[in-house]
Amino acid sequence: MSKFVSFIILIFLVLSNQLYTYAEENQPLEIKSEAAVLLDSETGAVLYNKNGEERLFPASLTKIATAIYAIENGNIEDVVTVSARAVNEEGTRVYLEEGEKVLLKQLIQGMLINSGNDAAVAIAEHIDGSVEKFAENINKYLINEIGVRNSHFTNPNGLFNEQHYTTALDLALITNYAKKNPLFSEIFGTKELNWSGESWQTTLLTHHRLLKGEIPFEGITGGKTGFVNESKHTLATTAENENIKLTAIVLKADTNKVTYNDTENLIEYGLKSFQHRVIKQNETFTVNEKEYYPKKDTIVTEHINGSEQNITNQGMLEVVNDGQVTQSIPLVVKEPKNLPVEVEKPLSNEQSSINILYGIIVFAFAGLFLGVRKRIAKRQ
């Protein structure tokens, strides 16, 4: 074989390998759950979206909303008296006793870590007096404080109700919002907790297999599981590395295994593919001869290989990753620093002559008027 032919074959192999690697990196994710969303926890950039706005049943992921609502609207040091209704709630529980007195913080821990439905009802009744009033108030809270638009809750724990629904995108927004609260973040990331109740002395272990370490995966910072027959399997997970923090939601998976496989794929994609960049306040963008700038230094989420940036006619900066707009940032029109000052033009010779003549005429009439008045005064 000649050296030339060998060289051609070598080049072909190198190029083939590069093309194969590029194709592997840019393959769409194979997500089997009915709906899935991956968000940047800090910027809110949507990094992956499959049926993210489809209304589905959340099951126990509801408790993420209940927890942050209780933290922000209650006093975590309050002592809660457990009702008969809470004790008799069906499903997973922390085995509360009627009349038992428990700190609100402990109930939130039991609800998030062990998914206690009884604890969730006790929380709702303590904050709002009843489950029904709680449902009314938390729906207002979700709209007014978090800004979700496709969720409606009828209870604090996610037990099935036709009118109890949300979306993967809404749940991701709720989780992002909640994670900004230090107490929520601490409880959401707790792997185990000593539990001391009237009828149950135990160590609570998170049900989330990635958080617990049962499935080895680096960077997991929090999680919540969910299941009822109508919702199938649901999972909420947060993760981070030195470049980015992520929130992953998967809904309506046929099996528990699918939720974890999908979540691993989402988080691995996010951690490996994205990073932050800061757009400085003094950075300007031009469209239609107008200059725009951000109101303040702004973090954007971009692909590690770079992202496209488009400026709309309305002055929105769009960050585009993998062909999708993942983030939209409002910009401000930059006003010119030195506005033109109007300068009076010097009068022409003709205009000057007219003005002088006008002045003489006015002066003459004034003198005539004064003379007439004097004559009249003498006659009198």
Side-chain angles (χ1 to χ4, degrees), residues 243-298:
N243 295 322
I244 197 168
K245 295 179 180 179
L246 300 171
T247 298
I249 304 291
V250 296
L251 298 180
K252 202 174 182 181
D254 288 333
T255 67
N256 194 33
K257 183 178 180 180
V258 168
T259 64
Y260 286 105
N261 287 343
D262 285 350
T263 297
E264 288 181 82
N265 288 335
L266 287 167
I267 292 175
E268 184 176 18
Y269 166 70
L271 294 179
K272 286 185 176 181
S273 303
F274 295 95
Q275 61 188 2
H276 284 166
R277 183 173 73 84
V278 177
I279 297 179
K280 296 292 185 181
Q281 186 178 5
N282 58 4
E283 191 170 341
T284 58
F285 305 87
T286 303
V287 60
N288 294 336
E289 299 182 353
K290 287 185 179 180
E291 287 191 329
Y292 295 88
Y293 65 93
K295 293 180 181 179
K296 58 183 179 180
D297 289 357
T298 304

Side-chain angles (χ1 to χ4, degrees), residues 52-59 61-62 65 135 138-139 142-143 148-155 157-171 174 228 230-231 234 251:
E53 296 186 23
E54 180 182 350
R55 289 182 176 179
L56 296 169
F57 306 122
L61 301 196
T62 301
I138 197 171
N139 286 319
L142 293 175
I143 294 170
V148 301
R149 291 291 180 268
N150 289 304
S151 296
H152 184 267
F153 292 162
T154 61
N155 61 64
N157 46 38
L159 289 177
F160 176 71
N161 184 300
E162 284 284 355
Q163 296 304 311
H164 188 98
Y165 58 80
T166 186
T167 69
L169 184 56
D170 274 7
L171 275 175
I174 293 166
V228 293
E230 295 81 0
S231 74
T234 65
L251 298 180

Side-chain angles (χ1 to χ4, degrees), residues 307-352:
S307 300
E308 295 178 35
Q309 292 181 359
N310 300 326
I311 309 296
T312 69
N313 292 331
Q314 291 73 39
M316 295 289 289
L317 171 62
E318 293 182 339
V319 182
V320 181
N321 291 299
D322 295 332
Q324 301 294 321
V325 176
T326 57
Q327 200 172 351
S328 295
I329 300 161
L331 301 176
V332 179
V333 178
K334 187 175 184 180
E335 299 293 340
K337 290 184 178 179
N338 299 314
L339 295 174
V341 179
E342 290 188 12
V343 180
E344 275 191 36
K345 295 180 180 179
L347 297 174
S348 65
N349 291 335
E350 183 182 355
Q351 187 65 46
S352 297

Side-chain angles (χ1 to χ4, degrees), residues 88-104:
N88 293 318
E89 188 74 336
E90 62 181 287
T92 311
R93 60 187 67 193
V94 286
Y95 302 99
L96 299 171
E97 293 288 332
E98 183 178 353
E100 183 177 355
K101 298 184 183 304
V102 188
L103 288 176
L104 178 59

Side-chain angles (χ1 to χ4, degrees), residues 102-118:
V102 188
L103 288 176
L104 178 59
K105 179 180 178 180
Q106 186 178 348
L107 289 173
I108 296 170
Q109 290 171 321
M111 177 182 68
L112 278 182
I113 300 168
N114 200 63
S115 206
N117 289 341
D118 49 356

Side-chain angles (χ1 to χ4, degrees), residues 22-39:
Y22 181 81
E24 283 288 305
E25 290 176 352
N26 290 273
Q27 278 186 347
L29 294 175
E30 293 185 7
I31 300 300
K32 295 182 179 179
S33 299
E34 176 72 18
V37 164
L38 179 69
L39 260 59

